[in-house]
Amino acid sequence: MISLAGRDIMHSWGKFVFTGMGLGLLIGITLSMAGIYRGMVDDAKVLLDNSGADLWVVQKDTLGPYAESSSLYDDIWRGIRGMPGVERAANITYLTMQVGKQDGDVRAMVTGVTPGEPGTPGWPPYLVAGRQITRSHYEAVADIASGFKLGDRIQIRRNHYTIVGLTRRMVSSNGDPMVFIPLKDAQEAQFLKDNDAIREQRRRTAENPAFNRPGVPGLLDAVIASQSTNPYVNAVLVRVEPGHAPEEVAESIRRWKRLTVYTRSQMEEILVGKLIATSARQIFMFLVILSIVSSAIVAFIIYTLTLGKIREIAVLKLIGTKNRTIVGLIMQQSIALGLIGFVVGKISATLLMAPIFPKYVLLQPLDSVMGFIAVVMICVLSSIIAIRAALRVDPAEAIGG
Amino acid sequence: MKKLPFQKRTLALIAVLFPLLVLFVYVALRSGPLAPVSVVLATVENKSISPKLFGIGTIEARYTYKIGPTFAGRVKRLDVHVGERVKAGQVLGEMDPVDLDERIRAQDATLKRANAQLNEAQARKDYAQTQALRYEQLLKARSTSEEVVATKQQDLLVAKAGLTAAREELSRVRAEREALEAQRSNLSLVAPVDGLVVSRDADPGTTVVAGQAVVELIDPSTLWVNVRFDQIRARGLAAGLSAQITLRSQAGELQAGRVLRVEPLADAVTEETLAKVVFDQIPDPLPPIGELAEITITLPTLAATPVVPNAAIHHKDSRLGVWQVTNGDLRFTAVSLGIADLEGRVQIREGLKVGDQVVAYSENALNEHSRIHVVDHIPGVTQ
């Protein structure tokens, strides 16, 4: 049996290939949409992976540093470090803010990491250039998505920092690039008021007769000094010793320190289940709409192609071609169209759309395979209308028309 | 020739579809998790590193003199202003004496009165002595009674006691007057050393309590920087090490100094070790007290040992180590680290030898099954 589909495609291959490419762009967008969703989930997960922690100790009854604000005294880590099963505990602060550079500013998640050596919880696990922070002040490691380069001077609140290292895929759950700075600087950036506010506060204190007594020199200074300290952090990251179950260590911290502790799976639940749930549903909705639109367009193209050669089909019927052959003709064409579309879509999604998209687009091979199956299914289903039309053609039309 | 148009079409179709297919295969293998991870390698070098310590501190004066009255009073006069240099012994101002001069005058009168009383007592005593002598002679001549003589003797003793009392009263009054005069001279505020006036806390007319400062002096030749070093990195800090001081107002300009002492008391709350760093030469103009300064302290250079960049150090399964590359294979090698310097080089105590290849930078986090692709620098990173 000869392939009628192949011959028909050969006959008008230009039209066919270009139709396929057009369809491909649509499929490319659909794949990218799936990639954006995967990217969002991945952003949330890399945030947890990058912190290198097994447990997150946060302010009591809050959802922790990523989903809610949380502040703890910065000496709590010592008590936690002494608990059985805790291998390491490190303070950390997170603050999403605009980071200033000479030309404009960049939205970034400024992370204050405890000084120490590489591998301390909270530190960027790998670099793509430069070095890790070695000074306890005024150095920063930034994600390359921030656009900073090695040696750049950036401004966070009142201090200037030098970029000494670059990293990759260190993002907040919103996809903002992270900038790592030493903890003390970050505490200052997050909790210390600006100069005007400090002055106002000093004036207010000085005007309060309770703090400014004539007979007690030094009281006012002491009160002001106590007002300008900032001994807070957002969370304590805990790494559990091998051989201890994280849940068991978390339970003992909850019980004896009376703090809220999340394990890795609970934190993931908060990030994926609560923080990005609405955006994820939004993307999923788009995905469904795009799939419906794609199948409608495929059906429409196939139907038009079939109607275009209705006379030839009538001739085929007239000379006694089996229905199966005619169905094969349409369905093969439809699948060929789908294949070209998928190939073009995959290429355009990977090479064109993913790299320039402002958010991270994660194209997983499994998604591509599922996308391929879906494309073939949609093509098969959409060709049904065309097949019905073809089968209902009266052979007499071949002569009559 | 009949087949030619058909062949032409086939060729054209292949010309379009084949590159598409090649591109597709490339895309499928080169993107996502299947793609090899680009890495930049570093070689373990035998190098001597000179570790440095970095800390921040504020400029402080070693000696601060808070000059004020020794008892409550009102400021009468203040001759110096902030920023003026003063000499040792210079009178900076004066407290209002209030009633002190009047009390001294009263004391003068009391003194005179005491003198007069002394004269009176002296006169009484002289008279009593003469009388006693005369009656003793009359008794010898038997022209008076013994009782009268005894009375005259007693009068003499009383007059003598009165004289002593008048003398002591005189010295008491004199001492009181001296005390008032001392108080009077204590009212002037005098500079104890050559110094610089940094603060003027009260103006004439202000009432201050005892011990409250009116003027604050510093000795500008003894400026130092009170530096705080994070305890994690403070190893090797000792007195006498040379230091580089960068003032916040003069970023980029280094001043030479040295560590004067490391404080025996550390800050337990901020987990910092404190040290004092002095300037080799006091900057001119004088930096403001309280200005932020960055201190870099150079420790003695260490003997050459295997050294890797700190970007190569990773943490995996609660071990510190590096991703070692041998014949293109990736392996996690646990290492123990030595001292690090501020440029990000770390000594390797054990685990690696000179010449070993380790991963310095990688495009993604690595694991044992990662396929690697060695590059000069990670794509997309602008150096």
Side-chain angles (χ1 to χ4, degrees):
Chain A
M1 195 183 81
I2 51 160
S3 167
L4 285 174
R7 292 192 171 251
D8 189 52
I9 290 171
M10 282 304 166
H11 183 69
S12 57
W13 69 271
K15 194 170 105 190
F16 195 80
V17 166
F18 281 111
T19 314
M21 285 190 173
L23 182 66
L25 292 178
L26 192 65
I27 291 174
I29 291 173
T30 316
L31 284 176
S32 301
M33 274 290 177
I36 291 164
Y37 170 71
R38 294 283 180 201
M40 279 171 76
V41 174
D42 197 60
D43 278 353
K45 284 186 179 161
V46 290
L47 181 62
L48 302 184
D49 286 338
N50 294 342
S51 67
D54 298 318
L55 300 176
W56 283 259
V57 181
V58 300
Q59 187 183 338
K60 201 175 183 187
D61 300 331
T62 67
L63 284 180
Y66 312 120
E68 264 183 0
S69 68
S70 143
S71 69
L72 294 169
Y73 282 105
D74 64 0
D75 51 1
I76 280 180
W77 74 272
R78 290 182 217 172
I80 293 169
R81 176 69 189 83
M83 305 282 289
V86 173
E87 191 200 342
R88 265 184 133 149
N91 283 328
I92 196 144
T93 67
Y94 295 100
L95 178 64
T96 302
M97 60 184 288
Q98 298 292 122
V99 175
K101 219 184 126 193
Q102 282 131 353
D103 43 353
D105 46 15
V106 175
R107 186 152 193 83
M109 188 188 207
V110 174
T111 308
V113 293
T114 308
E117 53 196 4
T120 307
W123 278 52
Y126 64 94
L127 296 184
V128 294
R131 59 172 172 84
Q132 301 273 16
I133 295 169
T134 54
R135 290 174 172 84
S136 331
H137 291 282
Y138 313 136
E139 285 191 343
V141 168
D143 187 275
I144 51 172
S146 63
F148 297 141
K149 291 191 279 297
L150 284 185
D152 273 356
R153 299 267 291 163
I154 58 168
Q155 186 167 10
I156 296 171
R157 292 272 190 269
R158 69 174 77 170
N159 289 324
H160 291 271
Y161 296 79
T162 311
I163 302 281
V164 296
L166 293 174
T167 173
R168 200 174 155 271
R169 286 293 295 136
M170 299 286 154
V171 290
S172 73
S173 55
N174 290 329
D176 297 325
M178 282 165 104
V179 173
F180 296 85
I181 61 173
L183 182 78
K184 286 206 166 52
D185 294 346
Q187 281 179 301
E188 200 181 296
Q190 185 168 0
F191 298 108
L192 195 66
K193 304 271 187 299
D194 60 289
N195 288 351
D196 282 343
I198 291 172
R199 260 186 63 86
E200 291 293 301
Q201 182 62 37
R202 270 188 208 157
R203 189 180 53 75
R204 241 173 257 134
T205 311
E207 279 174 7
N208 186 341
F211 296 135
N212 197 3
R213 290 189 207 160
V216 195
L219 174 66
L220 181 66
D221 294 339
V223 172
I224 286 173
S226 78
Q227 282 174 347
S228 38
T229 52
N230 41 26
Y232 301 103
V233 292
N234 294 134
V236 178
L237 303 180
V238 173
R239 193 173 285 152
V240 172
E241 261 176 25
H244 283 80
E247 184 47 49
E248 174 193 312
V249 179
E251 192 48 50
S252 77
I253 297 175
R254 271 183 215 124
R255 180 173 175 195
W256 297 114
K257 299 282 169 200
R258 296 174 311 285
L259 294 163
T260 298
V261 185
Y262 293 107
T263 60
R264 160 85 208 215
S265 55
Q266 287 167 330
M267 212 63 193
E268 205 171 300
E269 169 67 23
I270 289 171
L271 277 176
V272 180
K274 293 195 167 79
L275 211 56
I276 61 168
T278 318
S279 336
R281 272 207 299 278
Q282 201 176 319
I283 297 279
F284 182 73
M285 206 57 224
F286 268 120
L287 204 59
V288 171
I289 293 170
L290 272 175
S291 305
I292 294 170
V293 170
S294 305
S295 41
I297 288 178
V298 172
F300 183 67
I301 290 171
I302 299 291
Y303 188 66
T304 324
L305 283 178
T306 313
L307 284 193
K309 47 182 177 279
I310 206 85
R311 189 178 291 263
E312 288 83 345
I313 290 170
V315 171
L316 282 173
K317 280 198 154 182
L318 195 66
I319 62 174
T321 315
K322 286 177 186 156
N323 275 355
R324 206 175 62 195
T325 315
I326 293 169
V327 169
L329 159 78
I330 295 168
M331 204 166 270
Q332 278 168 28
Q333 280 194 359
S334 168
I335 289 172
L337 203 60
L339 286 184
I340 295 174
F342 179 76
V343 169
V344 172
K346 171 74 183 163
I347 292 169
S348 62
T350 313
L351 291 185
L352 300 177
M353 296 178 195
I356 58 165
F357 202 77
K359 282 202 83 158
Y360 181 60
V361 181
L362 175 62
L363 298 164
Q364 286 188 335
L366 197 66
D367 284 353
S368 302
V369 171
M370 278 175 39
F372 177 74
I373 294 171
V375 166
V376 172
M377 298 269 288
I378 285 172
C379 287
V380 170
L381 289 177
S382 336
S383 58
I384 287 174
I385 306 169
I387 289 168
R388 260 192 86 222
L391 292 184
R392 284 208 333 222
V393 170
D394 187 357
E397 272 184 42
I399 316 161
Chain B
M1 289 306 283
K2 194 191 161 204
K3 276 188 176 174
L4 195 66
F6 192 78
Q7 263 186 346
K8 221 170 162 182
R9 276 186 188 161
T10 318
L11 281 175
L13 191 64
I14 286 170
V16 171
L17 288 187
F18 185 70
L20 213 59
L21 210 65
V22 170
L23 207 59
F24 178 72
V25 171
Y26 171 81
V27 158
L29 291 182
R30 283 281 156 171
S31 72
L34 294 179
V37 181
S38 298
V39 295
V40 176
L41 296 187
T43 311
V44 180
E45 292 174 352
N46 200 36
K47 253 193 179 166
S48 63
I49 61 173
S50 50
K52 286 180 176 159
L53 303 176
F54 179 82
I56 61 170
T58 46
I59 295 191
E60 287 175 7
R62 184 173 187 170
Y63 300 112
T64 308
Y65 305 89
K66 294 185 174 178
I67 298 161
T70 47
F71 54 90
R74 195 186 307 129
V75 181
K76 182 186 181 191
R77 175 168 71 83
L78 209 52
D79 302 336
V80 289
H81 287 276
V82 170
E84 281 177 23
R85 284 182 188 258
V86 297
K87 292 258 173 287
Q90 185 181 333
V91 175
L92 308 177
E94 206 183 327
M95 296 298 292
D96 193 343
V98 196
D99 59 346
L100 216 51
D101 289 337
E102 286 71 21
R103 271 159 63 195
I104 288 173
R105 276 213 301 282
Q107 217 49 240
D108 279 344
T110 317
L111 196 64
K112 279 178 192 151
R113 186 176 150 216
N115 260 321
Q117 279 173 343
L118 182 64
N119 290 341
E120 187 194 337
Q122 184 72 44
R124 277 181 203 281
K125 187 222 148 197
D126 288 349
Y127 176 72
Q129 196 156 20
T130 319
Q131 286 289 79
L133 207 63
R134 184 182 301 147
Y135 276 87
E136 264 173 32
Q137 283 164 355
L138 285 177
L139 184 66
K140 278 180 191 159
R142 292 283 170 198
S143 53
T144 187
S145 70
E146 247 180 68
E147 190 186 359
V148 175
V149 173
T151 311
K152 293 302 170 188
Q153 290 282 357
Q154 192 211 3
D155 282 353
L156 176 63
L157 285 178
V158 170
K160 271 184 180 166
L163 181 63
T164 311
R167 264 196 207 117
E168 292 310 312
E169 174 67 13
L170 180 65
S171 58
R172 181 188 72 80
V173 171
R174 201 174 276 144
E176 263 186 6
R177 192 186 178 284
E178 275 164 16
L180 277 182
E181 258 173 12
Q183 276 189 17
R184 179 72 177 81
S185 64
N186 204 24
L187 287 178
S188 36
L189 306 168
V190 180
V193 288
D194 293 359
L196 177 74
V197 179
V198 291
S199 143
R200 181 174 146 135
D201 298 327
D203 284 313
T206 315
T207 308
V208 289
V209 299
Q212 193 174 342
V214 173
V215 173
E216 212 173 304
L217 287 186
I218 61 154
D219 187 349
S221 61
T222 60
L223 280 194
W224 66 18
V225 188
N226 188 13
V227 203
R228 319 171 73 87
F229 293 95
D230 205 299
Q231 285 167 4
I232 288 179
R233 302 196 204 278
R235 176 163 60 177
L237 185 63
L241 291 170
S242 68
Q244 288 176 318
I245 306 166
T246 312
L247 299 175
R248 187 171 160 92
S249 60
Q250 299 162 24
E253 266 181 62
L254 295 175
Q255 315 260 5
R258 72 194 153 76
V259 181
L260 180 73
R261 66 162 188 252
V262 180
E263 296 287 325
L265 288 176
D267 191 328
V269 176
T270 60
E271 294 145 19
E272 285 168 317
T273 299
L274 307 176
K276 300 282 188 282
V277 169
V278 290
F279 289 95
D280 283 349
Q281 198 161 17
I282 301 287
D284 187 47
L286 214 59
I289 309 294
E291 177 169 344
L292 193 74
E294 295 177 17
I295 309 291
T296 309
I297 289 182
T298 315
L299 297 177
T301 305
L302 303 169
T305 45
V307 164
V308 296
N310 69 1
I313 312 291
H314 296 274
H315 184 273
K316 191 170 175 292
D317 304 335
S318 69
R319 284 182 310 163
L320 278 181
V322 295
W323 288 104
Q324 194 180 345
V325 178
T326 35
N327 306 325
D329 284 341
L330 205 58
R331 188 158 53 87
F332 189 77
T333 311
V335 294
S336 76
L337 302 179
I339 293 166
D341 68 1
L342 288 186
E343 276 66 52
R345 286 185 288 262
V346 190
Q347 283 187 343
I348 297 289
R349 286 239 177 80
E350 48 193 278
L352 288 175
K353 52 186 191 302
V354 175
D356 282 350
Q357 297 271 311
V358 297
V359 173
Y361 309 127
S362 60
E363 198 181 11
N364 284 313
L366 296 170
N367 60 49
E368 269 91 0
H369 312 295
S370 300
R371 287 195 298 138
I372 57 168
H373 169 58
V374 178
V375 291
D376 279 343
H377 70 270
I378 301 291
V381 178
T382 40
Q383 293 286 346

